[in-house]
Amino acid sequence: MDHYTYTVVLTPEDGVYSASVPALPGCVTLGETVEEAIDMVRKAIRLWIEHMHERGEEIPVERD
């Protein structure tokens, strides 16, 4: 699999942290700690990319 780099937005919400990836619409997850949210969003990104690849869709590339 290619290497991709994306901006992740962490937001504290009622005792948990949401993690979203603006370049990948719908790629959102939660974690009880910042570390868990980051781990979960890495997994979510991987699954999001795998799903798009399987469907033959273009993988968004975040520009600097």
Side-chain angles (χ1 to χ4, degrees), residues 21-51:
V21 184
L24 306 177
C27 188
V28 179
T29 189
L30 297 173
E32 292 185 12
T33 64
V34 169
E35 294 80 11
E36 182 180 38
I38 291 170
D39 182 53
M40 295 296 290
V41 79
R42 284 183 177 141
K43 292 174 185 173
I45 290 168
R46 189 174 319 113
L47 291 171
W48 197 100
I49 290 171
E50 286 176 8
H51 177 75

Side-chain angles (χ1 to χ4, degrees), residues 1 3-6 8-9 17 20 25 52 54 58 61-62:
M1 181 182 284
H3 177 78
Y4 299 93
T5 302
Y6 295 105
V8 171
V9 177
Y17 293 88
S20 61
M52 296 301 286
E54 289 171 2
E58 184 176 337
V61 176
E62 189 171 302

Side-chain angles (χ1 to χ4, degrees), residues 8-23:
V8 171
V9 177
L10 292 172
T11 307
E13 296 185 18
D14 299 323
V16 297
Y17 293 88
S18 70
S20 61
V21 184

